[in-house]
Amino acid sequence: MKAIRAIISGGGTGGHIFPALSIAEGLKAANPDTEILFVGANRRMEMEKVPAAGYRIVGLEVAGLVRGLSLGNLALPFKLIKSIRRAKSIIREFKPDIVIGVGGYASAPVLYAASGMHIPTLIQEQNGFAGLTNKILGKRVGKICVAYDNMERFFPKEKIVFSGNPTRKDIVKCTPEMASEGLALYGLDPEKKHLFIVGGSLGCGTFNSFMKDWIGEGIPEWLQIVWQCGKRSLPDVESFMAAHPEVKGQVIATDFISKMNLTYALSDLIVSRSGASSISELCIAGRPVIFVPSPNVAEDHQRHNAMAIVNKDAAKIVLDADAPAKLRDEILNTIRNEDECTRLSANILTLAKTDAVEIIVREVYNLI
């Protein structure tokens, strides 16, 4: 395929950034001479993660709408107008063949500007319930790559392409060999059961509070836990763990998981938020999952994402508000039920979509 110039815009969380990087890798695989520029939001995670992956990024002064009454919302129209002007300037300077949006604050002004300048545009909607920004952009862009059925509720049917969500290249179906490597990585006992609690790239307050309570009350000796607490919470969690030396070696607390494939593989059960990227990875990994959807997201989309999997008997769900009272029993009952874990693993594997990047790259070239 010919070399192209592409802008990829979006970010805010790993759920947006990792798919964006996967698309970039796919475009580079199609032709290594392709030039890619990322556009993100200043002071958000993408401004760190994208350069670390070897790509150039420029930032916009843009922010999201705060729910409820907030003086900060009064400034949003002015920030948006300024960001659209800046986006137009970036587009004129870079001269992209296509602009791709993956969601997040920065995607709105960039995609809006590009579509108005008659540049081919594509958005990748990761969730089963489209957000307001993408619903508005859907009327302007050329193609909309989706990961869930029935998305014509939100977008023009003729623009929709079912692609699935892009995932990191190292996320594959778990194997016993990967599990053994993961256990060795963390120094865990192969004879015990293993739980992975993952709150996403920013961590999860509900999970962190739950783990502190559980450690305080006592974790069964036959269970070992890898607990991803998030960067912002790490100092507090480290202090807490120092005050509970009795769980040293039984609970591994870390802010970020670099070997996610091996951590999935070692897990007899995973407790996770239900962001779209996390779900896509978990389907490929094929491990039993209990989803605890975040209630702090637009349109309650994490619950919609989770229920699409739960309704196919491929995962379990505990609502965030119920987690303090119900999550521990659900974990213990599930992880000890090997037949149920086997069934959940088999069912979630049938939902895996591994060629999302290839489909999106194909649509990019079709648009160009």
Side-chain angles (χ1 to χ4, degrees), residues 197-199 204-211 227 271-273 292 327:
I197 295 190
V198 53
C204 169
T206 296
F207 291 172
N208 292 347
S209 296
F210 167 78
M211 280 300 301
W227 167 23
V271 175
S272 174
R273 287 303 203 192
V292 183
L327 182 56

Side-chain angles (χ1 to χ4, degrees), residues 60 62 80 83-84 87-88 91 104-114 137:
L60 300 178
V62 64
L80 184 58
S83 292
I84 291 173
K88 287 181 178 178
I91 289 167
Y105 301 150
S107 65
V110 180
L111 270 291
Y112 188 89
L137 291 173

Side-chain angles (χ1 to χ4, degrees), residues 19-71:
L21 291 172
S22 295
I23 293 171
E25 290 172 5
L27 292 172
K28 281 287 195 180
N31 190 313
D33 293 327
T34 283
E35 294 188 44
I36 297 170
L37 174 67
F38 281 80
V39 180
N42 281 330
R43 294 175 294 279
R44 301 292 291 183
M45 183 189 292
E46 58 267 26
M47 303 307 292
E48 174 188 341
K49 297 295 183 185
V50 170
Y55 295 97
R56 185 161 72 95
I57 186 168
V58 294
L60 300 178
E61 288 295 334
V62 64
L65 186 70
V66 178
R67 296 184 186 184
L69 295 174
S70 170
L71 290 175

Side-chain angles (χ1 to χ4, degrees), residues 54 68 104 148 193 231 245 268 302 318 335 350 361 366:
Y148 289 88
K193 293 285 188 181
K231 185 176 181 179
D268 295 292
Q302 285 209 5
V318 173
I335 203 167
T350 67
V361 168
N366 286 344

Side-chain angles (χ1 to χ4, degrees), residues 211-354:
M211 280 300 301
K212 288 179 182 178
D213 290 343
W214 197 4
I215 290 169
E217 295 173 15
I219 295 172
E221 59 85 24
W222 50 265
L223 180 65
Q224 292 180 318
I225 303 173
V226 177
W227 167 23
Q228 187 254 324
C229 64
K231 185 176 181 179
R232 290 179 300 196
S233 300
L234 184 62
D236 175 64
V237 169
E238 285 181 333
S239 296
F240 177 85
M241 293 295 289
H244 290 81
E246 71 276 9
V247 294
K248 185 177 181 180
Q250 185 178 18
V251 176
I252 309 296
T254 180
D255 62 332
F256 187 78
I257 304 290
S258 58
K259 298 285 188 181
M260 188 65 82
N261 55 342
L262 301 183
T263 314
Y264 286 152
L266 68 84
S267 306
D268 295 292
L269 179 66
I270 298 167
V271 175
S272 174
R273 287 303 203 192
S274 47
S277 293
S278 296
I279 286 182
S280 297
E281 290 191 354
L282 290 164
C283 288
I284 293 171
R287 307 304 297 140
V289 187
I290 299 173
F291 289 120
V292 183
S294 171
N296 305 312
V297 293
E299 318 289 353
D300 198 22
H301 67 246
Q302 285 209 5
R303 185 175 62 83
H304 291 280
N305 292 348
M307 289 308 302
I309 310 301
V310 173
N311 288 339
K312 295 178 180 178
D313 192 28
K316 303 179 82 171
I317 187 170
V318 173
L319 296 181
D320 189 87
D322 296 333
K326 297 182 179 179
L327 182 56
R328 179 172 17 173
D329 286 346
E330 193 71 76
I331 288 170
L332 295 176
N333 291 337
T334 304
I335 203 167
R336 289 183 292 196
N337 188 333
E338 293 189 6
D339 289 342
E340 182 175 37
C341 286
T342 299
R343 186 185 78 250
L344 292 173
S345 289
N347 290 349
I348 202 168
L349 268 172
T350 67
L351 306 178
K353 184 78 172 163
T354 59

